Structure formats: C-alpha cells, structure tokens
Amino acid sequence: MGKFKLSALMLAMFAASSVLAAVESDAQSTVKKPQLEEDLEVIEVRGFSRSLIQSLNQKRFTDTVSEQLSADDLGALPDVSMADALTRLPGISAVRTGGQAAEINIRGMSGGFVFSTLNGREQVSTSGSRSIEFDQYPSELISSAAVYKSPKASLIEGGVAGTVELQTASPLDNDQQHKFVVNARGMYNDRASEVNDATEFGDRISFSYQGKYLDDTLGVALGYARLFQPSVATQFIGLAYNDNKDVDGVTNDTNGPELKPENEYISEGFELQHLGGEETRNGYMAAIEWAPVDNFKLKGDVFLSRFDTESFARGLRVKLGGPTATYTNAQLEGNSVVGASVNRTSKGYTRVEIVNDDNQDFDEVDSYGVNADWQVTERLNVNVDVSLSRAKSNFRNGLLWALVAGDASAEEPVLDKNVSINYQLNGLNLPDVGFNQAAAFSDIDRVMVSKYGIYPYQNEDEVSAYRLDFKYELNNSWFSSVEFGARYSDREYSNNRSVFEYGNDGDFSVSEPPLRLTNDMVNVVDWEGDFSYFPSYLAIDLDKALNAWFPEGAPEPVKTWGNADGVVDSQGYTTNYSWTMLQSGSVYEEVLSAYAMLNINTEIGTMPVLGNIGIRRVDTDQSATILENVNGDLSLGAQNITDSIGIINKNYLPNVLGTTYTDYLPSLNLNFQLTDNTQLRFAAAKVMSRPPINRLAGDASAQADKTSGKINGSSTNNPFLKPFYADQYDISYEHYFDESDGALVIAGFYKNIDSFIDTIAIEGFDFKGNGFNVPDYIENPVSGEQVATTNGTYTTAVNNANGGYIRGIELAYTQVFSFLPAPFDGLGFNGSYSYTESEVESITSLGGETVTQGLPGLSKNVLNGTLFYSLDNFETRLNVRYRSDFVSEQVAINEQVVNFDAETVVDFQTSYQFTDSFGMLLQVNNLTDEPTQSYFGNENITGTTQYFGRQVYLGFTYSH
C-alpha cells in the first residue's frame, strides 16, 4: 500500500556502512576467532549415519537453540514432503491429513504459531492462514532445514513456537564439479482396493543437477520432483451435538442446558464414507550463482510447487433430525446421547443421504529471490536481498446428494418418510448402526439425486520483501562482531467465495425436481474389512448424472447476493447468498523492521562463551476491506453494490478498517563451552506471532437501535487483531561423544503467552473511534425525536487476556555404535522424547456438555525413535513416532476443534547400493495402518475414525 517511507532509513543504513568502512581502513588489530572447530576430530561415515552426524555438527555450532537436518539426510530419505522429514526432530510432531503429515506442531503449539522461511525469506501459504503446508515442499528439492526454537534479532519475527528455515541448493558450495541425481519409485496403497474407483498405484520421480563453470565462478542448480499418489481413506465421522431434547423423561432432571435443564444433548448425526482420489505434485527448483571475485557473490533462485488434488467422498450421511425426531432406548454418556432408536415424525427431517461429493484443489506456490553478498573489507560485509513469495489456492467443493423415494419411477416421486435409525457409539471403536431403509440405499428404483451444489473457495496471498543487512567484525574482548539491518515487506491476501445450488437436500423440490438414476450411472458399493457390516450404497458417476440433469451444461458458481436483505431485484433467487459477498475481500499488511545484534565471543576464566544479544523493532500497518451493514442509510454512506451477475444491494458501505502497532523484541543467546565436547546454552527472548491472516478479513456490521439509540455490531473476524506475544526461556545441555559419533541433549523451555484469539462481546465499544461510520443521532420512528446514539456491544474476535504458560523438557540421544566389533559397528540409534504441559485451556460444547480441552497442537508426550543398521552396501532402519492425545481440527469437518487420541506411526526402510552410483530402496509408511481417531471431549463421544492404509514404495537412485 506504500505507506512506509524507506528512503531516510535506507540512506542512514548506507551511511553507516560508509562509516564502518572508514573505520576498517584504520583498523590494525586482528579479529578474535573461536578455535572450537580446529580441535574436532571427525570420523568419516556413510549413509544415514553420516547425515545424522552432519546434523549434530550443524546443531553444535549454531548460535541458537535449534534442530538441524542435513542435506544428505534429506536427499537420502523417501519422505513424501518436508513435513514428514521435520517430524523426526525433537519436540516436533505432525497432524496427519489424508494419511500424511501436512501441518507441524512445535513444542505443543499448532502450525499457526510456526513461522517459515525459504532461503531466509518469508513464505506465504495456500491454507488461507500463516501456516504453510509443508507437504507442498518436496524433500528432494530442499538441501537443508533448521528449526530455530530460540530466536535471534536477525531472524524475521513471527514464530512463537519456532521458526522453520528451509534452504535450496547453493551450487558453488557443492564439493563436486558436476553432480546429477535421479530417483524413481513406484508406490502402492493397500487400502485402495477397498474403495470403489480408487487409484491403487502411484509414482515418485525426481532429478537434480548441480554444476560449476568458468573456474568455479559460476554455479547452476536445477531440480524437478514429481509425486503422483492415491489418496484413500475409510472413515466414520460423528457430527457435533448442536441441539437438545428431553429423551429420558426423568422428572426433576437439571443436568441439561441452562434454559431447558430437563433436556439431553443430541447429535446432528454421523457419516460413513469412502474417500478416494489422486494427488499430483510437481516441484521445480533453479538457482544460478555468480562469484566473479573473491569478495562478491550474486545468487538468484526460484522455487515452484504445483499441488493438484482431485478426490471424492462417497457413502452415507445420517441426519438424526434434532428435536423433531423421536428417541427411544436412549443411551447416555453424562447428559449426551450416544445411542438410540431414532424415528422421523410428520414434521421432522430425519433422513439418510447417499452422498457423492467431488472435491478439487489446485494449489500453487512460487518463491523468487535475488541475493547479493559483498565483503566490502576484511571487516565489513553487506548483504542485499529482494524476494517475492506468492501462493494461490482454488478449492472447489462439489456435492451430489441423493435421497430415498417411495418409488423413483412414479411420475411425481415423493420422499420415503418412513425413516428409522438405530445407532450405538462405541467410543474409539466403530459404532453399531442399523437402518430400516438399508436395502433401498443400493436400489435405483428407490434412490434419486435431489441436490447438486458447488462451493468454491479461492484465495491468493503474496508478499514482496526487501532486506539490507550489515555485519562488522570488531576488535573487542567481549564481542566479535555487530550486525544490523532493516527489512520491508508488503503483503496482500484476498479470498473469493461463490456458489451454485440446485435442488434440495432434505426433500424433493417441485421447481427443481430430482433426477432418476439409470444403471449406467451407478455402481453398488460394498464395505470391506472392519467396516463390512455397514449397508451397501450407490456410487454415482458424477459426469453422467450431471449430463442427464443439465443437458445444456451445469451453470458455473457465482458470487451473488441471492435474495438477501437490501436486494433490489433477486432475479428469481429464493436463497440468501450474501455470505459469498461478505466473505470475499482483501487484507493488506505492511511491515518495516530493523534490528541490531552483537555477537558474543569471550571467555569467563578459561571457559569460552559464545552467543548474541540484540533487539528487533517491528512496525506493522494492517487493514482489511469490509462491507459494513448500514441498513441502506445514505447519510452513513450506503451504496448500491452490484454482485457478479448484476444483482444490486443497497444496504452496505464498502470500507477499509485496520490498525498500526510497534513492537520491540529483545533476545539473548549464550553458549558456555564447558569442555571440548560439552556446552550449556541459555536463551531468553520476547517473541510474537501475528494472527492468521484470514482472521483479519471479514464482514462487519454496526447499527443503532431506533428506539434507544444504542449502537450494536458484530464481526466474524477482526481487522484490529493484534499478535500473540510470549516471553520465553530456554536452557540446553549438550554433550557430544568422542569421535563425533553421537550426542546427548537435555533441554528445558518455558513460554509465557500473553493472549489468544477468542470471540467475545465488548461492552461500550467505541464504534466511531474504530472507523465505523455510525450516526451521532437517530430519529425515533414513533416520537419523531432525535435520539443521541450511545456505544453498545460489539461481538467480535479479540485478543483475550487469558494466556498462560507452556513449559516442557526435551531429551535427545544419538549414537552410532562404531566402537562395537564388526559386523555390529554399523548399528545405531537416534531418539528423542519431549514432555510439554500448559495451563492454557479452552472450553468446548461440541459433545453437548461444556468441558475443558487443552491448547491446540499440544501432546504432553512425544517420542521419536529410529533404529538403523548398515553393513557394507546394505542399510535398513525402523522409525517409530508416538504422540499422546492432543487437540486439533477434526478431519473432514470445518472449524470443529476436537480431541485426538494418541497415535503411533511406524515406518520402515531398507536399501542396497549395488555400485557407487546405483542403489535400490524399499519403504513402507504407516506399517501398522494406524488410524486417526478423535472424540468430543470424552472418548465415549466419537468424533472421527479414519484409516488411510499402508504406503509401499519401491525404486532406485542413480547419482553421478
């Protein structure tokens, strides 16, 4: 938006560099250098052992509390994405979506608190939030990764949980003149055969090249990685308890809702589904590096990812009918119904829908950057970086729902309203279910398509950034150098909603009649395995059904008002679609930051002490577009707003609201070298994470009561949201074994978080002071008198004051048992354990009764262990990852944060290197077919039970 002025600050920075250069020309003394690495003996090892030791060496010599993954480690692993690779590090766990890791949690905090960079540059996301989706980053194209658990002033702000730094190749740093690597693997999912029309086989192909030319002054790196894999699952989903009814008839019952204490909580229903589809990811990487002289290097790099998913969800969706249904033989867990015989009444809507949903998701991630590094003098270094990160997501949720008719061949078919459903939840096990219409679910003479809908969600996110950094070496007994710099970024996020609906999901529409199915449109689907007792249903060919229903072609979805309040002409729409207009908009964010940091290199007695101390200042200007409902009042700026098909609404005022704020983030990192092999780290810092960017955008309304003059308003989101802040402290004891064959690390951390986002009602909110266009007076419609307006209640998302601590310990142990006699000297172990606890709690009523639940993303216990063995050209390893129960968003249900049960995921890999260049690999992911299981606050109130199957990979690697 161009509000910040850079010229004065940049001129000052360049002037400072000139002064430092002048100081350098007069400097005579030498710079003190740490001697720690000179006495380190490194044993040459190969394969997985080498990558582990390389990672430990990188961790050992960093100036923050961090975890590292080496290039060899990433190149050798068959991880589908960077999310899988990162979960092997201490204190890091993943939320599995579709059977594989996508979002990572660090030290008990969810992905929204994790800041991510690529080559030191901020990355935007296709997720609509700030959390990047790591499954879009192929591990084959990433040369190294680091997780910074403690910050330093030079790092870009944004990670309360931590910062993940991904790096692509720098070809001039490659130790070979030319290097070419090819990977090719086939893939098989053993549950795909249970899902009708699912793809069973996939492939994974990649190649990369790095070369140096012109006497090693020009380097080129190119990479391509393709993933094609089936995406399958078989699942049960319990829906939320969003209503209540007296089902037990107990007198003087007072355990229920506040207004009706005699009632029990009842669920909306449940779903039985087969999921299938295909995921195709194409990743591209290119870098060119030029070093014409020893003290100057120019690098340009590009990273692109295209991740396309086409999937279907088929099965049965059960709508229990709320209070209109009759309940008999109800089984209760507390005051929530977990089993009953449910029957439809004459005025009810109890039903079973045969669902054939079709989803498409096309995601694009682009990252571009140019970096110039200039060693101006022996003491002064200047680095300039310009970057662009861009993400686009086009998610298209399509649904095709069918209902059971009395007779589908009738001239005017009617819905079969004789519906009886029996169910009994069994906690984390699959439920018992029964339907009186079960035989009809697979009968084309009974099933008719009743509704078709498309609900696209498109978003774009883009940030351009400019960075200038200086480093000046000092001649000082305490500080080895000083670093300072500035960064400016300009970010714009936008989303766009639209809709098309035809028919009715609860009955047969007269104006939009149902579709009669024919044999060529359907297949009868039977359940298999653990789900085999569920009733068969019809899988419907979407294209054939739509061609028959819409012979001239199905209309495209549109962004429209429909028949919303304030519409001048609804053009025949009978439904309010104003949400497509109100949830579409843009967010703007400009950030100007500057930092200064001293690098510590001193001694206390004879003990070397390294580290840094610094401060970062951050100025943020954020705003968002909104449509403010002013009820058509022209004096308040109401305008005629036209949707994409020409419908006009007169009620709204387009507006831009936002706020500015400044933060100071001090940080300290100390590393005490107790012995040659032992060090103690201490870190303290103030950290911040900005709110999810999609939570800054949203509809807002404010209106005055015409009788009292009191102004009340609401907003789904809030452009005034401030960041999450935390004060954090880290201590880490690290002992590295002789001959560099392992390490023992013990770490502790404490974070005191100021606040979280919550939705509350703010009394006496200053509407005018916060940018709302509200009147000073309003006319009483009865008396005709002018009434002065007063501030009332504003219900919105806010930063509440209920923060709290997160604290924990981490243990990590790595050992290559090279001291054992052959052939056991190839045995090794790498493991970690973390314990995390927090006083932060939230409440949930998704299971009926209100109960507390923990911080999203927090598992108290996380264990990760890899046992590996190598002998000559043979290598094998077994990895086990365990996380205890945690809270996260339920699979397949939007915005339902539920409890997830503990899970243990086992992966196995073995490989053989036939020659120095050619090797083969076999890998099995999710060896035990571990399901994902969730519940609503109580294990007996079932959420999701989802099985993904085992993924088997077989292929080869060629390098030259």
Side-chain angles (χ1 to χ4, degrees):
M1 295 176 65
K3 295 181 181 178
F4 285 123
K5 303 299 182 184
L6 293 174
S7 56
L9 178 60
M10 291 306 178
L11 286 173
M13 303 297 281
F14 279 116
S17 69
S18 301
V19 172
L20 289 177
V23 172
E24 157 62 17
S25 66
D26 295 330
Q28 302 296 323
S29 57
T30 58
V31 179
K32 182 178 181 181
K33 300 289 185 181
Q35 301 298 316
L36 198 60
E37 292 187 59
E38 295 182 4
D39 301 325
L40 180 67
E41 181 181 3
V42 178
I43 302 298
E44 181 67 23
V45 290
R46 300 176 61 186
F48 187 68
S49 301
R50 177 183 175 183
S51 67
L52 284 177
I53 301 307
Q54 185 172 329
S55 297
L56 286 177
N57 285 332
Q58 292 171 347
K59 175 184 176 70
R60 182 173 184 174
F61 297 110
T62 58
D63 55 359
T64 66
V65 178
S66 68
E67 307 295 341
Q68 305 282 333
L69 284 173
S70 76
D72 284 350
D73 194 10
L74 295 176
L77 280 173
D79 295 307
V80 172
S81 71
M82 285 307 305
D84 295 297
L86 290 167
T87 56
R88 294 182 292 103
L89 297 174
I92 299 176
S93 53
V95 179
R96 293 191 297 162
T97 302
Q100 65 186 39
E103 175 188 302
I104 65 169
N105 304 153
I106 299 179
R107 287 181 163 178
M109 303 192 74
S110 61
F113 296 97
V114 177
F115 186 75
S116 303
T117 64
L118 179 67
N119 297 326
R121 301 158 184 148
E122 179 181 7
Q123 293 294 285
V124 295
S125 174
T126 60
S127 66
S129 65
R130 296 186 190 273
S131 172
I132 75 168
E133 296 181 309
F134 285 94
D135 57 349
Q136 294 176 345
Y137 292 78
S139 60
E140 301 96 329
L141 302 184
I142 303 298
S143 62
S144 65
V147 178
Y148 295 102
K149 295 177 177 178
S150 70
K152 56 182 178 179
S154 59
L155 287 177
I156 304 173
E157 73 288 339
V160 167
T163 296
V164 177
E165 163 64 10
L166 306 179
Q167 289 280 349
T168 57
S170 291
L172 289 181
D173 294 335
N174 190 29
D175 57 2
Q176 296 178 238
Q177 197 71 25
H178 299 279
K179 186 173 183 180
F180 184 72
V181 179
V182 177
N183 288 283
R185 295 167 190 150
M187 182 263 187
Y188 168 72
N189 186 295
D190 70 348
R191 273 197 180 263
S193 60
E194 297 182 5
V195 179
N196 183 64
D197 288 341
T199 302
E200 296 183 55
F201 297 94
D203 57 73
R204 184 176 172 203
I205 302 170
S206 68
F207 72 83
S208 63
Y209 167 75
Q210 295 186 65
K212 293 186 285 188
Y213 302 89
L214 302 178
D215 296 327
D216 294 348
T217 61
L218 181 67
V220 176
L222 300 170
Y224 168 72
R226 179 183 187 272
L227 171 72
F228 173 78
Q229 66 179 11
S231 174
V232 299
T234 309
Q235 66 184 19
F236 167 84
I237 301 176
L239 304 182
Y241 285 65
N242 54 12
D243 223 322
N244 58 86
K245 177 184 177 69
D246 185 5
V247 301
D248 61 4
V250 175
T251 57
N252 300 320
D253 186 355
T254 59
N255 294 323
E258 181 178 352
L259 298 179
K260 296 182 178 180
E262 72 279 5
N263 284 4
E264 285 70 47
Y265 298 102
I266 54 178
S267 168
E268 179 183 343
F270 54 87
E271 300 182 356
L272 314 172
Q273 286 189 342
H274 283 125
L275 305 184
E278 300 172 348
E279 297 177 347
T280 305
R281 182 189 65 201
N282 288 287
Y284 310 85
M285 180 276 296
I288 185 167
E289 207 166 16
W290 182 48
V293 292
D294 290 342
N295 66 336
F296 180 79
K297 183 184 291 186
L298 180 66
K299 180 184 178 184
D301 54 81
V302 177
F303 174 87
L304 308 175
S305 177
R306 302 292 182 265
F307 202 152
D308 298 338
T309 303
E310 299 191 31
S311 61
F312 59 80
R314 297 172 181 159
L316 307 172
R317 179 178 291 117
V318 177
K319 293 287 190 175
L320 294 176
T324 65
T326 61
Y327 283 73
T328 57
N329 300 319
Q331 305 298 310
L332 300 179
E333 176 65 32
N335 208 43
S336 299
V337 178
V338 294
S341 177
V342 183
N343 290 273
R344 179 171 178 144
T345 61
S346 58
K347 296 183 179 180
Y349 56 91
T350 304
R351 64 187 185 275
V352 179
E353 302 165 356
I354 295 89
V355 298
N356 283 263
D357 294 352
D358 175 69
N359 297 322
Q360 297 177 323
D361 193 4
F362 304 105
D363 293 337
E364 300 180 9
V365 174
D366 298 344
S367 181
Y368 308 90
V370 176
N371 182 273
D373 189 83
W374 181 24
Q375 190 68 37
V376 183
T377 69
E378 289 184 4
R379 291 176 175 268
L380 177 63
N381 179 270
V382 179
N383 189 282
V384 179
D385 194 271
V386 179
S387 64
L388 172 67
S389 176
R390 182 169 56 208
K392 295 181 180 180
S393 177
N394 184 358
F395 176 68
R396 187 182 178 100
N397 173 218
L399 57 87
L400 191 74
W401 293 347
L403 298 172
V404 176
D407 181 1
S409 63
E411 185 175 343
E412 294 183 2
V414 295
L415 186 71
D416 179 6
K417 298 182 178 180
N418 179 23
V419 183
S420 179
I421 300 164
N422 294 281
Y423 78 100
Q424 175 66 56
L425 300 183
N426 293 316
L428 298 178
N429 297 313
L430 292 173
D432 299 319
V433 294
F435 308 92
N436 72 317
Q437 295 178 325
F441 298 156
S442 55
D443 185 354
I444 63 170
D445 292 327
R446 299 289 304 280
V447 175
M448 301 190 74
V449 175
S450 65
K451 182 174 181 177
Y452 174 60
I454 311 175
Y455 307 90
Y457 193 113
Q458 299 169 302
N459 66 61
E460 297 186 15
D461 202 351
E462 181 176 303
V463 60
S464 55
Y466 310 87
R467 182 169 177 168
L468 179 63
D469 296 277
F470 300 90
K471 183 176 182 180
Y472 184 76
E473 303 288 344
L474 300 173
N475 177 29
N476 186 282
S477 61
W478 284 88
F479 305 108
S480 62
S481 61
V482 59
E483 297 182 41
F484 58 95
R487 177 181 179 270
Y488 169 75
S489 65
D490 188 356
R491 184 170 184 171
E492 181 176 350
Y493 165 83
S494 64
N495 58 41
N496 189 47
R497 299 302 313 272
S498 53
V499 64
F500 169 72
E501 290 184 328
Y502 185 90
N504 193 324
D505 61 337
D507 204 342
F508 294 147
S509 170
V510 175
S511 59
E512 299 170 338
L515 171 69
R516 173 77 191 275
L517 294 169
T518 56
N519 282 318
D520 64 321
M521 297 181 188
V522 300
N523 286 314
V524 176
V525 177
D526 301 319
W527 299 83
E528 297 182 21
D530 296 335
F531 295 76
S532 60
Y533 62 94
F534 292 164
S536 302
Y537 65 91
L538 291 179
I540 301 172
D541 186 305
L542 181 67
D543 292 333
K544 291 181 179 179
L546 293 181
N547 288 337
W549 218 7
F550 306 102
E552 297 181 359
E556 285 297 310
V558 294
K559 182 167 69 174
T560 181
W561 294 107
N563 72 339
D565 291 342
V567 160
V568 176
D569 176 13
S570 68
Q571 296 186 10
Y573 277 89
T574 59
T575 303
N576 180 348
Y577 291 124
S578 61
W579 56 269
T580 64
M581 298 290 291
L582 301 175
Q583 294 179 21
S584 300
S586 298
V587 176
Y588 308 99
E589 181 179 87
E590 293 184 70
V591 179
L592 179 62
S593 58
Y595 74 94
M597 183 175 74
L598 288 166
N599 291 311
I600 300 169
N601 186 357
T602 188
E603 291 183 353
I604 298 179
T606 60
M607 179 179 63
V609 179
L610 306 174
N612 56 70
I613 183 171
I615 190 167
R616 189 174 187 90
R617 170 183 163 138
V618 184
D619 295 310
T620 304
D621 183 345
Q622 68 186 36
S623 57
T625 61
I626 66 167
L627 292 177
E628 186 179 340
N629 189 347
V630 293
N631 290 314
D633 192 331
L634 296 177
S635 66
L636 298 179
Q639 298 182 16
N640 288 336
I641 300 175
T642 306
D643 66 19
S644 62
I645 59 173
I647 296 178
I648 298 172
N649 192 305
K650 62 182 182 180
N651 274 357
Y652 290 85
L653 160 71
N655 206 347
V656 177
L657 299 177
T659 187
T660 61
Y661 50 88
T662 298
D663 296 297
Y664 293 90
L665 307 174
S667 61
L668 170 68
N669 289 276
L670 295 175
N671 186 351
F672 301 93
Q673 304 289 331
L674 304 180
T675 70
D676 288 345
N677 293 328
T678 305
Q679 57 193 28
L680 180 69
R681 296 183 188 269
F682 173 78
K686 181 179 181 180
V687 292
M688 62 179 283
S689 287
R690 292 187 176 85
I693 198 160
N694 57 334
R695 295 303 305 272
L696 300 177
D699 55 305
S701 63
Q703 57 190 46
D705 183 90
K706 294 183 178 181
T707 302
S708 65
K710 180 170 287 189
I711 301 171
N712 295 308
S714 66
S715 174
T716 304
N717 299 319
N718 187 353
F720 304 106
L721 285 174
K722 296 290 184 67
F724 308 92
Y725 298 102
D727 297 320
Q728 69 174 42
Y729 306 91
D730 292 86
I731 189 167
S732 175
Y733 172 84
E734 302 170 8
H735 176 69
Y736 296 88
F737 304 145
D738 290 335
E739 299 182 348
S740 297
D741 60 357
L744 172 66
V745 178
I746 304 173
F749 65 92
Y750 180 92
K751 297 177 185 285
N752 184 30
I753 299 179
D754 289 349
S755 66
F756 290 91
I757 293 179
D758 199 2
T759 301
I760 67 170
I762 305 173
E763 301 292 341
F765 182 79
D766 184 2
F767 286 91
K768 181 167 289 189
N770 283 288
F772 284 87
N773 197 347
V774 294
D776 295 321
Y777 295 90
I778 193 167
E779 182 177 314
N780 186 304
V782 178
S783 65
E785 298 178 354
Q786 293 290 312
V787 179
T789 58
T790 58
N791 289 322
T793 302
Y794 185 49
T795 303
T796 188
V798 299
N799 299 99
N800 65 32
N802 298 322
Y805 68 75
I806 301 174
R807 61 192 181 193
I809 59 172
E810 296 171 349
L811 307 176
Y813 172 68
T814 300
Q815 180 74 69
V816 180
F817 299 105
S818 54
F819 53 84
L820 294 176
F824 304 105
D825 55 347
L827 188 65
F829 176 77
N830 175 44
S832 66
Y833 166 74
S834 63
Y835 174 82
T836 309
E837 64 178 20
S838 176
E839 65 179 341
V840 178
E841 291 183 332
S842 61
I843 61 173
T844 178
S845 57
L846 292 177
E849 297 181 278
T850 299
V851 297
T852 60
Q853 62 184 13
L855 179 68
L858 188 148
S859 289
K860 281 192 173 183
N861 298 286
V862 175
L863 294 96
N864 196 324
T866 301
L867 183 66
F868 56 93
Y869 176 74
S870 61
L871 177 64
D872 297 328
N873 295 323
F874 171 77
E875 185 172 79
T876 187
R877 57 185 180 265
L878 184 73
N879 175 257
V880 179
R881 299 189 302 274
Y882 167 84
R883 69 178 302 184
S884 59
D885 57 293
F886 62 101
V887 171
S888 187
E889 184 173 302
Q890 178 168 290
V891 174
I893 300 295
N894 292 328
E895 297 182 355
Q896 288 196 350
V897 178
V898 300
N899 299 82
F900 278 75
D901 190 39
E903 62 181 25
T904 302
V905 180
V906 181
D907 297 333
F908 169 76
Q909 178 190 335
T910 187
S911 62
Y912 187 81
Q913 198 71 24
F914 294 98
T915 69
D916 289 341
S917 299
F918 181 76
M920 294 196 69
L921 175 144
L922 170 67
Q923 186 205 0
V924 184
N925 285 345
N926 194 23
L927 187 65
T928 60
D929 194 13
E930 180 79 350
T932 291
Q933 297 177 293
S934 68
Y935 52 91
F936 296 119
N938 182 318
E939 287 189 3
N940 292 318
I941 306 177
T942 312
T944 296
T945 297
Q946 185 176 46
Y947 286 87
F948 308 106
R950 301 171 185 85
Q951 296 87 42
V952 181
Y953 294 86
L954 177 64
F956 70 87
T957 299
Y958 175 82
S959 63
H960 180 70

